[in-house]
Amino acid sequence: MAIIESAPIEPSGIESLAPGQSIREYLGLQIAHLLPGLDVAAGMLRRGEHDRALRTYATLVLCDPSEIRFQIGLATCALEIREFHIALQAASAVIASAPDSPMGYLISGRASLGLLDFDAAIDDLQDAIRVARETGDDAVAKEAAALLQRAIVAKEVQARN
């Protein structure tokens, strides 16, 4: 069998991104051009195509990491497939980009629960409740309160064992 030699593949264009410029901006795309990707990824997730859904959400995040809808989609997908570290990273990006949104704290709390880090989960869920109440998001406040109770009980059980 003959070995075929080829020149190394050089990435073209990416190194010309301006500082702070997203790939989406570099390609001249608007957020609206990428939003259908959220529906596509959600459909994959519903059909059980977890790897494809995760890759699609991750691609959207790579195109524009500052778009919290992409980060929330990635985090939600990661939670569903029990990839708690990925969910926690995406939640951190949501909190950094939108500290006045309770979703980042809620997702972070859920991921911390999955990682059995009950202290972090309790802190995040308390923040989720506080921010949700400030913004009038009763659904998130209710979900965070229920998860907070689970985290408190789990921490007590862990302490006894």
Side-chain angles (χ1 to χ4, degrees), residues 38-54:
L38 290 173
D39 293 331
V40 170
M44 291 173 185
L45 196 56
R46 279 191 301 276
R47 290 188 304 274
E49 299 171 17
H50 300 128
D51 289 342
R52 289 185 68 207
L54 191 64

Side-chain angles (χ1 to χ4, degrees), residues 100-154:
D100 57 342
S101 169
M103 284 304 297
Y105 302 103
L106 177 65
I107 293 166
S108 185
R110 288 179 65 203
S112 295
L113 265 176
L115 292 168
L116 306 179
D117 185 349
F118 303 121
D119 289 328
I122 289 168
D123 288 344
D124 288 335
L125 294 168
Q126 287 172 336
D127 287 338
I129 292 167
R130 177 185 51 78
V131 175
R133 287 182 178 153
E134 289 172 359
T135 60
D137 194 334
D138 295 333
V140 170
K142 184 176 179 179
E143 181 179 352
L147 289 171
L148 177 60
Q149 290 308 309
R150 281 183 42 200
I152 291 169
V153 169

Side-chain angles (χ1 to χ4, degrees), residues 5-23:
E5 291 187 34
S6 63
I9 299 172
E10 297 290 327
S12 61
I14 296 298
E15 55 268 2
S16 64
L17 285 174
Q21 183 182 34
S22 70
I23 293 173

